[in-house]
Amino acid sequence: MFLIQAAVIVVTMAATLLRGFQARPHLLKVRQLTHDGVYKVSDAPLFLRDKRLFFTERQDTRNLLASVSLDGNISRNQVLPVRDGVLSGIGKSAEDVLISRPGDKGTITVASLNGDNNRPLSEFGGESPSWSPDGKHLAFIRGQQLFTADDKGQNPVPLVAVQGTPFWPVWSPDGTAIRFSVREPDGGESIHEVNLATKRLSPVLRGEPHEHRACCGAWTSNGRYFAYVVGNSASTSLWVQREEVLGWKKIKRSWELASGPVDFWRAPVIDQDHIYAIGEQVRHKLVLLNSKFAPFLPAVSVNSLSISHDGEWVAYSVYPEGSLWKSRLDGTERTRLSAHDEYTRMPQWSSDDHEIFYLRMIEGKPWSLAQVDARGGKPGILAIGGSGTSELAYSTAGDQLVMDQTGPGSTTSRKLAILSSKGQLIEELPESEGMTAARWSADGRYISAVSVDREQLRVFDRVSRKWDVVFTSATIGANVWDRKGNTLYFMARQEQRCTLFRFQPGGQGASEVMEIPEVYANGDVSRALEVTARGDLIFEYLEGAAEIYDLNVDLRSPL
């Protein structure tokens, strides 16, 4: 009888533990905390302190430290002391902050915000800083390495190096491990963990179907759950991983919690039975830059487009799903040109309008240069561009293409490459490191490009083989050459004005054409600009917003 009773007890306990392990966390309710329409920087983290969420907002050209209470009361504290910097860490008192300026400059500032005075305590090179739970150490990224240092970023010690670009380090609640995301050379993203005592590196989501599509995680304070983002080309979803069921053995299991109601979830922070995150729901709209700002293709959300040389057709990529279409200029005779598993960007018509070149990506693979018959059909792959490739332009003058290419394991070491229409590399433009958004002049002599930090516009003369700086601004947006002469049009935001400029090589410099009304220049400046066969300019603007959401979840804690 004793053995039978003991067996029953063991079986009952095992069944209880198994039910607890199998119990699936699920979403109970979604509540939108902010409704102000002010742009929230979604590639910067959220922080929860004293029942307030702290985050980075952008107004005009300024980045602000903002906060919202859990009941929805917003306050904007002050301008961040580093231009283009984003909040990357916040102390327990919410006065000490880490500010990161990503990109080629890669600087981290440790500052104390005291009233109206911003007091920098230290500054050093790196990205994505994160304070340890006790506030005595920092983790940060420099190149392909994860470093630790003291609380001011001094005395850095390399911890681990990876193949790819690490970002978003977060400390475990007990301070014994750091998890960080990696942009992989083939275009994927994954989450890794390094044990601080052994320096052993291991993948967090090994074996999961989304192992190479995940990033940007955060722990609960008790370390039992880990929330993270799973992405694809058209949307992202929020997932949670249960970390531990039995005290002596780690058992992990993941579930999807939310794939809506927004297009993209960003920057989750998890607290007990709530996940707070930025939700993006944005549409790309087009208008003609004339006195009436007449809408163009009003029924679709377009993030890149190209008008055929005969002026009859438009090819465009749809946002956020990334499909490639063509239609008449009035939107009729709409035809899909891409497969359902393709994400596309930057369509470009060939000189005879019979074919369309474009950038193409399939999940888990790098961007490639593709070509498809304008009447439809199976695309041909001409060249592999790399995980960070984002821009493409075609020149009718030489039947050539220019696109940005990113080196292995990096998203910032861009170079501009010129290829033939068959995909063969002709040359890499000299001194084009850190340049993107290249565009051809009508006669093929000039190539304009914008620096990755969007602060400088340059023009390369293919005859003299030299670059000239055309314009320097707080933020430079799209640029495009007219179809008949050599006039370059570009957008730039300076202080609170978004302006269209024109420039002609050999002329007197850039001159202002028109100011863009703020309703069309909300947030960042447009990165899409096109010229019709008649010479009309088409301008892209954003409609929608990124807001803070509270997701109430049922997290059934393991026994």
Side-chain angles (χ1 to χ4, degrees), residues 263-298:
D263 296 323
F264 294 98
W265 288 110
R266 315 282 193 189
V269 56
I270 184 169
D271 177 59
Q272 297 181 359
D273 56 353
H274 291 267
I275 295 178
Y276 304 99
I278 299 175
E280 285 188 349
Q281 199 165 28
V282 177
R283 293 297 177 264
H284 294 238
K285 311 298 288 184
L286 302 171
V287 293
L288 292 172
L289 289 184
N290 52 30
S291 59
K292 296 182 179 180
F293 286 89
F296 184 80
L297 296 180

mmCIF file of all heavy atoms in Angstrom, residues 263-298:
data_model
loop_
_atom_site.group_PDB
_atom_site.id
_atom_site.type_symbol
_atom_site.label_atom_id
_atom_site.label_comp_id
_atom_site.label_asym_id
_atom_site.label_seq_id
_atom_site.Cartn_x
_atom_site.Cartn_y
_atom_site.Cartn_z
ATOM 1 N N ASP A 263 0.832 46.249 -37.847
ATOM 2 C CA ASP A 263 1.681 45.553 -38.820
ATOM 3 C C ASP A 263 2.971 45.068 -38.179
ATOM 4 O O ASP A 263 3.405 43.941 -38.404
ATOM 5 C CB ASP A 263 2.010 46.486 -39.997
ATOM 6 C CG ASP A 263 0.774 46.880 -40.774
ATOM 7 O OD1 ASP A 263 -0.116 46.032 -40.932
ATOM 8 O OD2 ASP A 263 0.696 48.035 -41.211
ATOM 9 N N PHE A 264 3.595 45.941 -37.387
ATOM 10 C CA PHE A 264 4.909 45.628 -36.844
ATOM 11 C C PHE A 264 4.942 45.886 -35.342
ATOM 12 O O PHE A 264 4.644 46.988 -34.886
ATOM 13 C CB PHE A 264 5.994 46.464 -37.535
ATOM 14 C CG PHE A 264 6.167 46.138 -38.983
ATOM 15 C CD1 PHE A 264 5.570 46.910 -39.961
ATOM 16 C CD2 PHE A 264 6.925 45.034 -39.375
ATOM 17 C CE1 PHE A 264 5.723 46.602 -41.306
ATOM 18 C CE2 PHE A 264 7.080 44.723 -40.716
ATOM 19 C CZ PHE A 264 6.484 45.504 -41.680
ATOM 20 N N TRP A 265 5.344 44.860 -34.582
ATOM 21 C CA TRP A 265 5.616 45.023 -33.164
ATOM 22 C C TRP A 265 7.100 45.282 -32.983
ATOM 23 O O TRP A 265 7.923 44.647 -33.629
ATOM 24 C CB TRP A 265 5.209 43.779 -32.382
ATOM 25 C CG TRP A 265 3.736 43.584 -32.262
ATOM 26 C CD1 TRP A 265 2.987 42.617 -32.864
ATOM 27 C CD2 TRP A 265 2.821 44.375 -31.496
ATOM 28 N NE1 TRP A 265 1.667 42.754 -32.520
ATOM 29 C CE2 TRP A 265 1.535 43.824 -31.683
ATOM 30 C CE3 TRP A 265 2.965 45.494 -30.671
ATOM 31 C CZ2 TRP A 265 0.400 44.357 -31.075
ATOM 32 C CZ3 TRP A 265 1.835 46.030 -30.070
ATOM 33 C CH2 TRP A 265 0.568 45.461 -30.265
ATOM 34 N N ARG A 266 7.428 46.190 -32.070
ATOM 35 C CA ARG A 266 8.825 46.553 -31.827
ATOM 36 C C ARG A 266 9.075 46.703 -30.325
ATOM 37 O O ARG A 266 8.171 47.026 -29.562
ATOM 38 C CB ARG A 266 9.178 47.895 -32.489
ATOM 39 C CG ARG A 266 8.688 48.081 -33.911
ATOM 40 C CD ARG A 266 9.544 47.337 -34.898
ATOM 41 N NE ARG A 266 9.261 47.756 -36.266
ATOM 42 C CZ ARG A 266 9.735 47.155 -37.348
ATOM 43 N NH1 ARG A 266 10.509 46.107 -37.234
ATOM 44 N NH2 ARG A 266 9.450 47.604 -38.552
ATOM 45 N N ALA A 267 10.325 46.503 -29.924
ATOM 46 C CA ALA A 267 10.868 46.897 -28.622
ATOM 47 C C ALA A 267 10.051 46.421 -27.430
ATOM 48 O O ALA A 267 9.639 47.216 -26.595
ATOM 49 C CB ALA A 267 11.019 48.423 -28.570
ATOM 50 N N PRO A 268 9.788 45.120 -27.290
ATOM 51 C CA PRO A 268 8.979 44.674 -26.157
ATOM 52 C C PRO A 268 9.709 44.788 -24.826
ATOM 53 O O PRO A 268 10.920 44.616 -24.741
ATOM 54 C CB PRO A 268 8.706 43.204 -26.503
ATOM 55 C CG PRO A 268 9.888 42.786 -27.317
ATOM 56 C CD PRO A 268 10.254 43.997 -28.122
ATOM 57 N N VAL A 269 8.950 45.098 -23.776
ATOM 58 C CA VAL A 269 9.443 45.005 -22.404
ATOM 59 C C VAL A 269 8.360 44.270 -21.624
ATOM 60 O O VAL A 269 7.170 44.558 -21.766
ATOM 61 C CB VAL A 269 9.750 46.393 -21.805
ATOM 62 C CG1 VAL A 269 8.547 47.305 -21.855
ATOM 63 C CG2 VAL A 269 10.267 46.269 -20.388
ATOM 64 N N ILE A 270 8.732 43.268 -20.822
ATOM 65 C CA ILE A 270 7.766 42.379 -20.189
ATOM 66 C C ILE A 270 7.816 42.565 -18.684
ATOM 67 O O ILE A 270 8.891 42.638 -18.082
ATOM 68 C CB ILE A 270 8.024 40.911 -20.604
ATOM 69 C CG1 ILE A 270 6.955 39.976 -20.015
ATOM 70 C CG2 ILE A 270 9.423 40.460 -20.259
ATOM 71 C CD1 ILE A 270 6.994 38.573 -20.607
ATOM 72 N N ASP A 271 6.621 42.673 -18.064
ATOM 73 C CA ASP A 271 6.527 42.889 -16.622
ATOM 74 C C ASP A 271 5.339 42.083 -16.092
ATOM 75 O O ASP A 271 4.175 42.419 -16.387
ATOM 76 C CB ASP A 271 6.339 44.376 -16.315
ATOM 77 C CG ASP A 271 6.167 44.654 -14.839
ATOM 78 O OD1 ASP A 271 7.068 44.315 -14.063
ATOM 79 O OD2 ASP A 271 5.107 45.202 -14.467
ATOM 80 N N GLN A 272 5.636 41.028 -15.365
ATOM 81 C CA GLN A 272 4.602 40.159 -14.803
ATOM 82 C C GLN A 272 3.647 39.690 -15.907
ATOM 83 O O GLN A 272 4.055 38.946 -16.790
ATOM 84 C CB GLN A 272 3.880 40.868 -13.660
ATOM 85 C CG GLN A 272 4.809 41.197 -12.487
ATOM 86 C CD GLN A 272 4.113 41.879 -11.353
ATOM 87 O OE1 GLN A 272 2.923 42.151 -11.388
ATOM 88 N NE2 GLN A 272 4.869 42.180 -10.302
ATOM 89 N N ASP A 273 2.404 40.142 -15.886
ATOM 90 C CA ASP A 273 1.447 39.669 -16.889
ATOM 91 C C ASP A 273 1.148 40.730 -17.954
ATOM 92 O O ASP A 273 0.066 40.757 -18.525
ATOM 93 C CB ASP A 273 0.143 39.224 -16.228
ATOM 94 C CG ASP A 273 -0.486 40.322 -15.367
ATOM 95 O OD1 ASP A 273 0.172 41.371 -15.197
ATOM 96 O OD2 ASP A 273 -1.595 40.128 -14.871
ATOM 97 N N HIS A 274 2.125 41.588 -18.235
ATOM 98 C CA HIS A 274 1.954 42.612 -19.270
ATOM 99 C C HIS A 274 3.202 42.658 -20.154
ATOM 100 O O HIS A 274 4.326 42.563 -19.658
ATOM 101 C CB HIS A 274 1.712 43.992 -18.666
ATOM 102 C CG HIS A 274 0.392 44.136 -17.983
ATOM 103 N ND1 HIS A 274 -0.730 44.624 -18.618
ATOM 104 C CD2 HIS A 274 0.009 43.808 -16.715
ATOM 105 C CE1 HIS A 274 -1.747 44.624 -17.773
ATOM 106 N NE2 HIS A 274 -1.321 44.137 -16.615
ATOM 107 N N ILE A 275 2.970 42.797 -21.442
ATOM 108 C CA ILE A 275 4.048 43.116 -22.377
ATOM 109 C C ILE A 275 3.734 44.484 -22.962
ATOM 110 O O ILE A 275 2.633 44.708 -23.487
ATOM 111 C CB ILE A 275 4.163 42.064 -23.495
ATOM 112 C CG1 ILE A 275 4.567 40.702 -22.923
ATOM 113 C CG2 ILE A 275 5.197 42.504 -24.534
ATOM 114 C CD1 ILE A 275 4.661 39.603 -23.961
ATOM 115 N N TYR A 276 4.685 45.406 -22.834
ATOM 116 C CA TYR A 276 4.543 46.732 -23.423
ATOM 117 C C TYR A 276 5.429 46.782 -24.667
ATOM 118 O O TYR A 276 6.570 46.312 -24.646
ATOM 119 C CB TYR A 276 4.940 47.806 -22.425
ATOM 120 C CG TYR A 276 4.159 47.729 -21.126
ATOM 121 C CD1 TYR A 276 4.706 47.114 -20.006
ATOM 122 C CD2 TYR A 276 2.865 48.234 -21.050
ATOM 123 C CE1 TYR A 276 3.987 47.019 -18.820
ATOM 124 C CE2 TYR A 276 2.145 48.147 -19.867
ATOM 125 C CZ TYR A 276 2.705 47.528 -18.758
ATOM 126 O OH TYR A 276 1.987 47.425 -17.596
ATOM 127 N N ALA A 277 4.900 47.334 -25.745
ATOM 128 C CA ALA A 277 5.641 47.332 -27.006
ATOM 129 C C ALA A 277 5.173 48.492 -27.873
ATOM 130 O O ALA A 277 4.101 49.068 -27.660
ATOM 131 C CB ALA A 277 5.441 46.012 -27.751
ATOM 132 N N ILE A 278 6.026 48.832 -28.852
ATOM 133 C CA ILE A 278 5.651 49.827 -29.862
ATOM 134 C C ILE A 278 4.972 49.091 -31.016
ATOM 135 O O ILE A 278 5.499 48.097 -31.523
ATOM 136 C CB ILE A 278 6.878 50.589 -30.376
ATOM 137 C CG1 ILE A 278 7.552 51.337 -29.219
ATOM 138 C CG2 ILE A 278 6.494 51.564 -31.490
ATOM 139 C CD1 ILE A 278 8.846 52.028 -29.604
ATOM 140 N N GLY A 279 3.818 49.562 -31.400
ATOM 141 C CA GLY A 279 3.103 48.988 -32.543
ATOM 142 C C GLY A 279 3.077 49.970 -33.699
ATOM 143 O O GLY A 279 2.681 51.128 -33.525
ATOM 144 N N GLU A 280 3.532 49.534 -34.871
ATOM 145 C CA GLU A 280 3.577 50.401 -36.057
ATOM 146 C C GLU A 280 2.472 50.008 -37.040
ATOM 147 O O GLU A 280 2.313 48.835 -37.369
ATOM 148 C CB GLU A 280 4.924 50.273 -36.767
ATOM 149 C CG GLU A 280 6.073 50.960 -36.074
ATOM 150 C CD GLU A 280 7.327 50.958 -36.928
ATOM 151 O OE1 GLU A 280 7.346 50.256 -37.952
ATOM 152 O OE2 GLU A 280 8.287 51.641 -36.571
ATOM 153 N N GLN A 281 1.747 50.995 -37.487
ATOM 154 C CA GLN A 281 0.751 50.791 -38.528
ATOM 155 C C GLN A 281 0.812 52.018 -39.444
ATOM 156 O O GLN A 281 0.188 53.036 -39.195
ATOM 157 C CB GLN A 281 -0.641 50.626 -37.925
ATOM 158 C CG GLN A 281 -1.632 49.974 -38.857
ATOM 159 C CD GLN A 281 -2.870 49.499 -38.126
ATOM 160 O OE1 GLN A 281 -3.242 50.062 -37.105
ATOM 161 N NE2 GLN A 281 -3.531 48.477 -38.635
ATOM 162 N N VAL A 282 1.606 51.895 -40.477
ATOM 163 C CA VAL A 282 1.928 53.037 -41.340
ATOM 164 C C VAL A 282 1.629 52.684 -42.786
ATOM 165 O O VAL A 282 1.846 51.550 -43.220
ATOM 166 C CB VAL A 282 3.420 53.430 -41.185
ATOM 167 C CG1 VAL A 282 3.784 54.558 -42.133
ATOM 168 C CG2 VAL A 282 3.720 53.835 -39.749
ATOM 169 N N ARG A 283 1.138 53.656 -43.548
ATOM 170 C CA ARG A 283 0.913 53.499 -44.978
ATOM 171 C C ARG A 283 1.693 54.566 -45.735
ATOM 172 O O ARG A 283 1.823 55.702 -45.282
ATOM 173 C CB ARG A 283 -0.575 53.599 -45.319
ATOM 174 C CG ARG A 283 -1.407 52.440 -44.759
ATOM 175 C CD ARG A 283 -0.979 51.120 -45.360
ATOM 176 N NE ARG A 283 -1.685 49.974 -44.801
ATOM 177 C CZ ARG A 283 -1.232 49.212 -43.834
ATOM 178 N NH1 ARG A 283 -0.071 49.496 -43.274
ATOM 179 N NH2 ARG A 283 -1.914 48.176 -43.398
ATOM 180 N N HIS A 284 2.250 54.184 -46.881
ATOM 181 C CA HIS A 284 3.024 55.094 -47.716
ATOM 182 C C HIS A 284 2.110 55.631 -48.817
ATOM 183 O O HIS A 284 1.600 54.868 -49.641
ATOM 184 C CB HIS A 284 4.209 54.363 -48.345
ATOM 185 C CG HIS A 284 5.227 53.898 -47.351
ATOM 186 N ND1 HIS A 284 6.544 54.275 -47.408
ATOM 187 C CD2 HIS A 284 5.124 53.099 -46.257
ATOM 188 C CE1 HIS A 284 7.206 53.718 -46.411
ATOM 189 N NE2 HIS A 284 6.360 52.997 -45.703
ATOM 190 N N LYS A 285 1.908 56.939 -48.823
ATOM 191 C CA LYS A 285 1.015 57.578 -49.796
ATOM 192 C C LYS A 285 1.825 58.454 -50.752
ATOM 193 O O LYS A 285 2.932 58.901 -50.431
ATOM 194 C CB LYS A 285 -0.039 58.417 -49.074
ATOM 195 C CG LYS A 285 -0.744 57.693 -47.943
ATOM 196 C CD LYS A 285 -1.510 56.468 -48.422
ATOM 197 C CE LYS A 285 -2.760 56.832 -49.192
ATOM 198 N NZ LYS A 285 -3.532 55.631 -49.560
ATOM 199 N N LEU A 286 1.250 58.723 -51.916
ATOM 200 C CA LEU A 286 1.939 59.481 -52.958
ATOM 201 C C LEU A 286 1.113 60.694 -53.362
ATOM 202 O O LEU A 286 -0.128 60.624 -53.479
ATOM 203 C CB LEU A 286 2.173 58.596 -54.193
ATOM 204 C CG LEU A 286 2.980 57.306 -53.983
ATOM 205 C CD1 LEU A 286 2.935 56.457 -55.247
ATOM 206 C CD2 LEU A 286 4.413 57.630 -53.610
ATOM 207 N N VAL A 287 1.811 61.824 -53.600
ATOM 208 C CA VAL A 287 1.161 63.017 -54.133
ATOM 209 C C VAL A 287 2.057 63.628 -55.204
ATOM 210 O O VAL A 287 3.273 63.431 -55.203
ATOM 211 C CB VAL A 287 0.882 64.082 -53.044
ATOM 212 C CG1 VAL A 287 -0.144 63.594 -52.048
ATOM 213 C CG2 VAL A 287 2.167 64.506 -52.362
ATOM 214 N N LEU A 288 1.442 64.367 -56.118
ATOM 215 C CA LEU A 288 2.195 65.152 -57.092
ATOM 216 C C LEU A 288 2.597 66.475 -56.440
ATOM 217 O O LEU A 288 1.790 67.113 -55.763
ATOM 218 C CB LEU A 288 1.345 65.420 -58.327
ATOM 219 C CG LEU A 288 0.999 64.197 -59.193
ATOM 220 C CD1 LEU A 288 -0.012 64.572 -60.266
ATOM 221 C CD2 LEU A 288 2.250 63.633 -59.838
ATOM 222 N N LEU A 289 3.851 66.859 -56.640
ATOM 223 C CA LEU A 289 4.329 68.109 -56.059
ATOM 224 C C LEU A 289 3.910 69.276 -56.952
ATOM 225 O O LEU A 289 4.692 69.824 -57.721
ATOM 226 C CB LEU A 289 5.843 68.070 -55.879
ATOM 227 C CG LEU A 289 6.352 67.143 -54.771
ATOM 228 C CD1 LEU A 289 7.854 67.259 -54.625
ATOM 229 C CD2 LEU A 289 5.681 67.455 -53.438
ATOM 230 N N ASN A 290 2.639 69.629 -56.847
ATOM 231 C CA ASN A 290 2.117 70.796 -57.559
ATOM 232 C C ASN A 290 1.295 71.621 -56.577
ATOM 233 O O ASN A 290 1.245 71.321 -55.382
ATOM 234 C CB ASN A 290 1.271 70.372 -58.766
ATOM 235 C CG ASN A 290 0.184 69.368 -58.383
ATOM 236 O OD1 ASN A 290 -0.324 69.383 -57.264
ATOM 237 N ND2 ASN A 290 -0.162 68.495 -59.315
ATOM 238 N N SER A 291 0.672 72.646 -57.051
ATOM 239 C CA SER A 291 -0.046 73.549 -56.158
ATOM 240 C C SER A 291 -1.209 72.866 -55.442
ATOM 241 O O SER A 291 -1.614 73.280 -54.354
ATOM 242 C CB SER A 291 -0.566 74.761 -56.948
ATOM 243 O OG SER A 291 -1.431 74.331 -57.991
ATOM 244 N N LYS A 292 -1.748 71.791 -56.039
ATOM 245 C CA LYS A 292 -2.899 71.106 -55.450
ATOM 246 C C LYS A 292 -2.504 69.849 -54.673
ATOM 247 O O LYS A 292 -3.344 69.259 -54.001
ATOM 248 C CB LYS A 292 -3.904 70.740 -56.540
ATOM 249 C CG LYS A 292 -4.511 71.950 -57.239
ATOM 250 C CD LYS A 292 -5.534 71.515 -58.280
ATOM 251 C CE LYS A 292 -6.164 72.729 -58.957
ATOM 252 N NZ LYS A 292 -7.169 72.313 -59.981
ATOM 253 N N PHE A 293 -1.258 69.417 -54.781
ATOM 254 C CA PHE A 293 -0.810 68.179 -54.150
ATOM 255 C C PHE A 293 -1.793 67.042 -54.450
ATOM 256 O O PHE A 293 -2.305 66.368 -53.551
ATOM 257 C CB PHE A 293 -0.635 68.365 -52.641
ATOM 258 C CG PHE A 293 0.588 69.153 -52.283
ATOM 259 C CD1 PHE A 293 0.525 70.535 -52.185
ATOM 260 C CD2 PHE A 293 1.809 68.522 -52.081
ATOM 261 C CE1 PHE A 293 1.649 71.276 -51.873
ATOM 262 C CE2 PHE A 293 2.941 69.262 -51.760
ATOM 263 C CZ PHE A 293 2.867 70.640 -51.669
ATOM 264 N N ALA A 294 -2.043 66.842 -55.743
ATOM 265 C CA ALA A 294 -3.004 65.834 -56.176
ATOM 266 C C ALA A 294 -2.502 64.440 -55.810
ATOM 267 O O ALA A 294 -1.327 64.122 -56.001
ATOM 268 C CB ALA A 294 -3.219 65.929 -57.688
ATOM 269 N N PRO A 295 -3.370 63.557 -55.277
ATOM 270 C CA PRO A 295 -2.934 62.211 -54.921
ATOM 271 C C PRO A 295 -2.597 61.385 -56.156
ATOM 272 O O PRO A 295 -3.165 61.575 -57.236
ATOM 273 C CB PRO A 295 -4.143 61.631 -54.186
ATOM 274 C CG PRO A 295 -5.313 62.430 -54.656
ATOM 275 C CD PRO A 295 -4.787 63.804 -54.944
ATOM 276 N N PHE A 296 -1.652 60.456 -55.991
ATOM 277 C CA PHE A 296 -1.242 59.550 -57.062
ATOM 278 C C PHE A 296 -1.375 58.123 -56.532
ATOM 279 O O PHE A 296 -0.883 57.814 -55.443
ATOM 280 C CB PHE A 296 0.201 59.842 -57.476
ATOM 281 C CG PHE A 296 0.692 59.026 -58.642
ATOM 282 C CD1 PHE A 296 0.352 59.377 -59.943
ATOM 283 C CD2 PHE A 296 1.471 57.903 -58.446
ATOM 284 C CE1 PHE A 296 0.791 58.626 -61.018
ATOM 285 C CE2 PHE A 296 1.930 57.145 -59.505
ATOM 286 C CZ PHE A 296 1.577 57.513 -60.810
ATOM 287 N N LEU A 297 -2.057 57.266 -57.272
ATOM 288 C CA LEU A 297 -2.359 55.896 -56.833
ATOM 289 C C LEU A 297 -2.889 55.891 -55.396
ATOM 290 O O LEU A 297 -2.330 55.251 -54.503
ATOM 291 C CB LEU A 297 -1.122 55.002 -56.933
ATOM 292 C CG LEU A 297 -0.544 54.742 -58.332
ATOM 293 C CD1 LEU A 297 0.685 53.845 -58.231
ATOM 294 C CD2 LEU A 297 -1.583 54.097 -59.241
ATOM 295 N N PRO A 298 -3.985 56.595 -55.137
ATOM 296 C CA PRO A 298 -4.451 56.762 -53.752
ATOM 297 C C PRO A 298 -4.912 55.466 -53.086
ATOM 298 O O PRO A 298 -4.985 55.406 -51.858
ATOM 299 C CB PRO A 298 -5.613 57.745 -53.894
ATOM 300 C CG PRO A 298 -6.084 57.590 -55.308
ATOM 301 C CD PRO A 298 -4.860 57.286 -56.109
#
